[in-house]
Amino acid sequence: MSRPTTQIEVPYPLEVLRKHRTNLSQKKFAEALGLTTRTYERWVAGGSAPRLTPDQIVTISKICKVSYGDFIRVLVGELDVEELP
């Protein structure tokens, strides 16, 4: 069964999450999400944000060892990365 193809725009806090919760470089993190390094670099620099699929959100949650709920709370600014369990 395939997952829906709905996408969401992801704000800058994902980069903070990557730095605090993984040892991955931007390149390796982008590769794990199926993004090009250039796309990820532009996004971090304040360019256009990538639109992440549900599969990518699942991957991020696993890589960063964070629940889906906490991941979304970080993205929308309800929770700081430093507050994660």
Side-chain angles (χ1 to χ4, degrees):
M1 181 174 180
S2 65
R3 291 198 173 103
T5 58
T6 305
Q7 297 180 339
I8 61 169
E9 232 176 84
V10 179
Y12 176 76
L14 181 55
E15 176 66 358
V16 177
L17 186 64
R18 177 194 68 82
K19 288 179 178 180
H20 281 81
R21 303 290 288 206
T22 77
N23 291 323
L24 297 177
S25 65
Q26 284 184 347
K27 179 180 179 179
K28 292 293 184 188
F29 195 71
E31 287 174 358
L33 300 177
L35 300 171
T36 66
T37 303
R38 183 69 185 133
T39 296
Y40 192 82
E41 288 171 347
R42 274 190 299 231
W43 172 68
V44 170
S48 61
R51 294 177 179 262
L52 299 177
T53 66
D55 286 339
Q56 289 169 319
I57 293 169
V58 169
T59 299
I60 292 165
S61 293
K62 288 179 181 177
I63 290 171
C64 295
K65 299 176 183 88
V66 62
S67 71
Y68 305 129
D70 284 346
F71 173 64
I72 298 301
R73 289 177 63 211
V74 166
L75 293 181
V76 299
E78 291 180 3
L79 182 67
D80 287 329
V81 173
E82 294 81 17
E83 297 174 313
L84 289 169

